[in-house]
Amino acid sequence: MNSGYCINGHEIEAEFRFCVMCGAERPNAMEEKTSVATPEHLVITIDESDPLATAETVKSSIGYLEPVTDVSPQVTSQSNYERRMQLDKARDEAYAEVSALENLQQNVAEWEQRNNHSFLAKTSAVMQKNIAEADGLLTQYNRTVDSLRIPEAGTMAKLRKSFHRKLLWQTILIPLLSYLIYKIPRIPNRNVQRFFDGVQPSMKVILIYATVIYLVLLLGALIAYYRGWSTYQRKVITTLWQLQIVSRNVDQVRSEQGRLKSLYPQVNEWLVILGHSLTNPWRIRKEWFESSIGDLNEASLPNSLRISQAHEDDGPAMMGMQRYAAERFMSRGWRAKVFADQIDVIRESIGLPKDRLNVDMLDQDILYSPNGPRALIRTNIEELPILESIGRRQLLPLIKEVQKEAITKSRPPVNEIRKATIKTQKVAAEDEENSELTPWDEFLGFSIPVQGKPRTPLSVFSLSDSGKVAAHHDRYTTFMIVPERFKEKVYGVDDNQLHTYGETTKLPMDVVVRADFTGPIPAQDLLFLEKTAAQRAAAEEKESKPKSEFKKDKGI
C-alpha cells in the first residue's frame, strides 16, 4: 500500500487525498489524479439493417425456413420490432412442431419396447432369425460354389503329350549317343586317340549303360506322368466331393426354408388365436356385476317375504366360495374346453355347420386361405358380442354350481333387503362397515318359533271382544319347511307338519317356509269386520221379520 506525508509530517494513506489530522493535501495527489487513465466509453449502437435482407435459408429436420423475398409495401412499412415478433412466432411454432415430433417418436419407441417383450414378438423374432439364417446359408453355399477351382480341360492330354515327347526324345537320343560313343573312340586320328587315352568301350558296355539310362529316364517320365495324373484326380475328386456336399446341403436348406416360410405364417396365426383365447377368452358386462333383485316387482311380493343378499367381503366364507369356484372351473383341460366353446360360438354366429368349422379343421387349414377356418377364427375372436356369448356360456353353469354347492356350505353373512331399499350394486367399502350384517342361520331363523315366545298369525289387537273371548289368537296350526340342521330349533310344531330337506340337497339357496293357519273365524270376531258384520246381521234380521197385513173386514 502506497503512503505519503503531508507538509506537517503526518502520514496519509494512499486512498486518502487529505490528511485526517490537519486537513492538508497530500503533495502528490494532483499528479496521481492526472496519471489515472481515462476509462473507455461504452458505445451502444442500434443496428438499423433489415434482418430479412440478410436472412439465409436454414435447413432443419422439419423443413426449410426461407427468407421472405417478395415483400409487399404493407410489410415493408412494418417496424423492425414487428418483424422480430413475427420471426419469434415462427420460431416458437417450429419448436412446438419439433416437440410434437419428439413426443411422437418417444411414444413409438415406448410402444415398440413394450411389444418387443411379448411372447408373440419374441417368437416372431426367432422365426425371422431362422429364415435369415437359412438365407445366409444359401448365400454362403453360393459363394462356396463360385470359389471352387474347376480343373482345366485337357490336363490329361497335356500330360500324355509330355510323356510321349519325353519317350520320343530319349528313344532317339540314347541310341544316337550310344552309336557316337562307340564310333568316335575308334576314329583313326591321333588327337582323338589322345583325348580318349586309348579307351574304346565295347558295344556290350555301351548297350548296358544305354539301357540303364533309358530305363531311368522312362521311370522319371512315368513318375512325372503319374504325379500329374494323381494331382488332377485329387482335384477332380475333391471338387466333386465339395459339389456333392454343397448340393446336398443346399437341397436341405431350401427344403427347410420352404417349410419355414409355409409354417411360420400358420404359427403366427395360431399364436394370435391362442393369445386372444388365453388372455381375453371372454368379456363380462358391467351389468352382470349388478344384482337382479332390483328387477323384482315389489307389488307382487307378500309382506311376510324377507329377502337378503350375501355380503361380499374378504372373509373366510367368501374366500371359501372363491376357492370352490376356482377348483371347479380351473380343472385340467379347462382352457381346451373354453377354446372349443369359442369356436362353437363363432361357428354359430357365422351360420356354419359343425363339420365346416371345428378344432380339428384349424390344423388342417391350408396356407393363405382367406376364407379358411383359421382366418374366420382370427377375424371373429375379438368381436364383443362373441366374447359376451362365451362369457355367458362359461359363467352361468359355474354360478349355478356355486349356488348349489358352495354358498349353502360357506353361509356368509347377509344384508337384509327391505323393499324400499333394494340394492342393485355392490355396497361400497365405507358403507359395508356401517351396514347391519346378519349371520346366515340367524336370518333364516327369524320365522322359526322359539320356545316360550309363541308367534300367532293374528294379533290380539286384530280381534274384537267376541274374538278375544273365543281365543282365536291361541288356536292356530303351523306348517314349516326348514333345513335339516334347524329341526332341533323348531318348537311347537308337530312332526307331521314339519318338513325338512337334507344338506346334500342341491338347491340354489337356503329357504325357510312357514305357513300359519287359523280359523275359520266369524266376521264379527275380527275388529275391522265387526261393524260390517253387525250391520249385515241387523239387515238380515229385518228382512227375516214378516210384514203385517191390514185386513179391511177387521176393525181397529
Side-chain angles (χ1 to χ4, degrees):
M1 181 181 295
N2 296 327
S3 62
Y5 296 91
C6 65
I7 57 177
N8 296 323
H10 299 142
E11 184 178 3
I12 302 175
E13 299 294 336
E15 61 268 15
F16 298 108
R17 181 179 177 184
F18 297 94
C19 179
V20 296
M21 301 294 293
C22 60
E25 186 178 6
R26 190 170 54 183
N28 56 354
M30 296 300 296
E31 297 177 0
E32 292 179 359
K33 182 177 180 180
T34 56
S35 62
V36 175
T38 304
E40 296 180 357
H41 297 282
L42 179 63
V43 180
I44 301 175
T45 60
I46 300 176
D47 187 8
E48 297 294 339
S49 61
D50 189 0
L52 296 178
T54 59
E56 298 180 356
T57 301
V58 180
K59 185 176 181 181
S60 64
S61 60
I62 59 173
Y64 293 90
L65 298 177
E66 298 182 355
V68 181
T69 56
D70 187 10
V71 183
S72 60
Q74 183 179 359
V75 176
T76 55
S77 62
Q78 295 179 352
S79 63
N80 293 335
Y81 175 76
E82 293 177 351
R83 295 176 184 176
R84 290 181 184 275
M85 291 297 294
Q86 292 178 357
L87 291 176
D88 292 341
K89 183 179 180 181
R91 181 195 59 192
D92 295 339
E93 292 177 354
Y95 285 161
E97 186 176 356
V98 170
S99 178
L101 292 176
E102 290 178 352
N103 293 334
L104 178 61
Q105 182 181 4
Q106 183 178 1
N107 294 334
V108 171
E110 292 177 356
W111 177 86
E112 182 181 5
Q113 183 179 5
R114 184 172 60 255
N115 287 273
N116 284 339
H117 293 287
S118 63
F119 179 76
L120 179 60
K122 292 181 180 179
T123 307
S124 300
V126 172
M127 292 189 294
Q128 293 176 1
K129 179 182 177 182
N130 293 337
I131 294 178
E133 184 177 357
D135 295 338
L137 288 176
L138 288 178
T139 304
Q140 181 180 355
Y141 290 141
N142 291 331
R143 288 198 300 265
T144 302
V145 172
D146 295 338
S147 62
L148 288 177
R149 294 183 178 180
I150 306 298
E152 297 180 1
T155 302
M156 293 301 298
K158 292 180 181 179
L159 291 175
R160 286 193 297 270
K161 288 181 180 180
S162 176
F163 175 74
H164 292 158
R165 187 167 51 251
K166 291 178 181 179
L167 186 62
L168 178 62
W169 280 107
Q170 70 185 19
T171 303
I172 295 174
L173 291 177
I174 289 176
L176 180 60
L177 292 176
S178 299
Y179 177 75
L180 293 176
I181 292 172
Y182 179 77
K183 287 295 184 180
I184 291 176
R186 289 175 172 79
I187 296 175
N189 190 341
R190 184 179 297 177
N191 294 329
V192 174
Q193 295 295 330
R194 188 182 301 117
F195 177 78
F196 286 100
D197 195 14
V199 178
Q200 295 181 356
S202 63
M203 180 60 68
K204 182 179 180 180
V205 174
I206 293 174
L207 290 176
I208 291 173
Y209 278 102
T211 303
V212 171
I213 293 172
Y214 184 84
L215 292 176
V216 170
L217 293 177
L218 179 61
L219 182 61
L222 289 174
I223 291 174
Y225 177 79
Y226 178 76
R227 183 178 60 187
W229 173 80
S230 63
T231 302
Y232 176 76
Q233 186 182 20
R234 181 173 57 83
K235 289 182 179 180
V236 171
I237 293 174
T238 303
T239 304
L240 290 177
W241 177 73
Q242 292 179 351
L243 289 176
Q244 289 176 358
I245 292 178
V246 170
S247 176
R248 183 172 63 252
N249 293 339
V250 166
D251 290 340
Q252 293 178 357
V253 171
R254 285 180 177 175
S255 175
E256 185 68 16
Q257 185 183 31
R259 189 180 69 86
L260 294 179
K261 289 184 177 180
S262 63
L263 178 63
Y264 281 169
Q266 303 179 46
V267 173
N268 190 28
E269 290 182 356
W270 269 112
L271 289 178
V272 172
I273 293 173
L274 293 179
H276 285 291
S277 177
L278 295 176
T279 59
N280 190 22
W282 58 72
R283 181 178 179 270
I284 300 177
R285 288 185 182 179
K286 185 178 179 181
E287 295 82 4
W288 294 357
F289 291 98
E290 299 177 356
S291 174
S292 60
I293 297 180
D295 300 334
L296 296 177
N297 187 5
E298 299 181 13
S300 63
L301 299 179
N303 294 327
S304 60
L305 182 63
R306 306 179 69 176
I307 305 174
S308 65
Q309 281 182 326
H311 178 66
E312 298 184 14
D313 58 358
D314 296 332
M318 190 59 62
M319 293 178 64
M321 285 194 294
Q322 293 176 357
R323 183 174 61 255
Y324 176 84
E327 291 175 355
R328 288 292 182 180
F329 184 77
M330 290 186 292
S331 58
R332 186 174 183 179
W334 72 272
R335 292 187 183 275
K337 182 178 179 299
V338 172
F339 186 63
D341 289 342
Q342 290 174 340
I343 295 177
D344 290 340
V345 171
I346 294 174
R347 176 180 54 79
E348 293 173 0
S349 64
I350 59 181
L352 290 178
K354 194 170 184 179
D355 56 348
R356 289 286 304 278
L357 185 61
N358 50 48
V359 179
D360 297 333
M361 293 189 65
L362 292 179
D363 198 33
Q364 300 174 1
D365 189 15
I366 61 176
L367 184 62
Y368 303 117
S369 178
N371 295 324
R374 279 199 304 269
L376 295 176
I377 298 298
R378 172 67 181 85
T379 305
N380 296 279
I381 199 170
E382 301 179 60
E383 298 294 332
L384 293 181
I386 292 178
L387 294 177
E388 292 176 358
S389 300
I390 297 170
R392 192 178 296 108
R393 279 195 176 191
Q394 298 298 321
L395 297 181
L396 287 180
L398 181 63
I399 291 172
K400 293 180 180 179
E401 190 170 359
V402 170
Q403 286 180 343
K404 291 180 180 180
E405 295 287 346
I407 193 170
T408 56
K409 293 180 180 179
S410 58
R411 301 178 191 133
V414 297
N415 286 321
E416 184 176 359
I417 299 175
R418 307 297 181 183
K419 289 192 292 182
T421 59
I422 290 180
K423 302 175 184 179
T424 59
Q425 295 182 353
K426 291 180 62 176
V427 183
E430 59 273 9
D431 297 334
E432 288 182 355
E433 297 179 357
N434 301 326
S435 61
E436 297 180 358
L437 298 180
T438 306
W440 183 278
D441 288 349
E442 182 179 345
F443 176 78
L444 291 176
F446 283 157
S447 58
I448 296 178
V450 183
Q451 186 178 9
K453 294 182 179 180
R455 294 182 180 179
T456 62
L458 291 177
S459 174
V460 178
F461 299 101
S462 63
L463 300 176
S464 62
D465 294 337
S466 60
K468 294 177 182 178
V469 173
H472 290 295
H473 57 282
D474 292 333
R475 292 186 289 104
Y476 63 92
T477 303
T478 301
F479 294 89
M480 295 195 68
I481 301 176
V482 296
E484 185 70 28
R485 63 181 183 275
F486 284 93
K487 185 176 181 180
E488 302 297 333
K489 299 180 180 180
V490 179
Y491 295 95
V493 180
D494 296 337
D495 293 339
N496 296 331
Q497 300 167 354
L498 178 63
H499 300 276
T500 61
Y501 59 90
E503 301 295 335
T504 58
T505 305
K506 295 183 178 181
L507 296 176
M509 64 183 71
D510 261 352
V511 61
V512 172
V513 180
R514 175 180 175 178
D516 295 326
F517 298 93
T518 185
I521 301 176
Q524 64 271 13
D525 291 344
L526 296 175
L527 183 61
F528 67 96
L529 294 178
E530 182 181 9
K531 293 182 179 180
T532 304
Q535 293 175 0
R536 184 182 301 171
E540 291 178 355
E541 183 180 359
K542 184 178 180 180
E543 292 178 357
S544 62
K545 289 182 179 181
K547 295 182 180 181
S548 58
E549 296 180 358
F550 179 74
K551 296 181 179 181
K552 295 181 179 181
D553 55 348
K554 292 183 179 182
I556 298 175

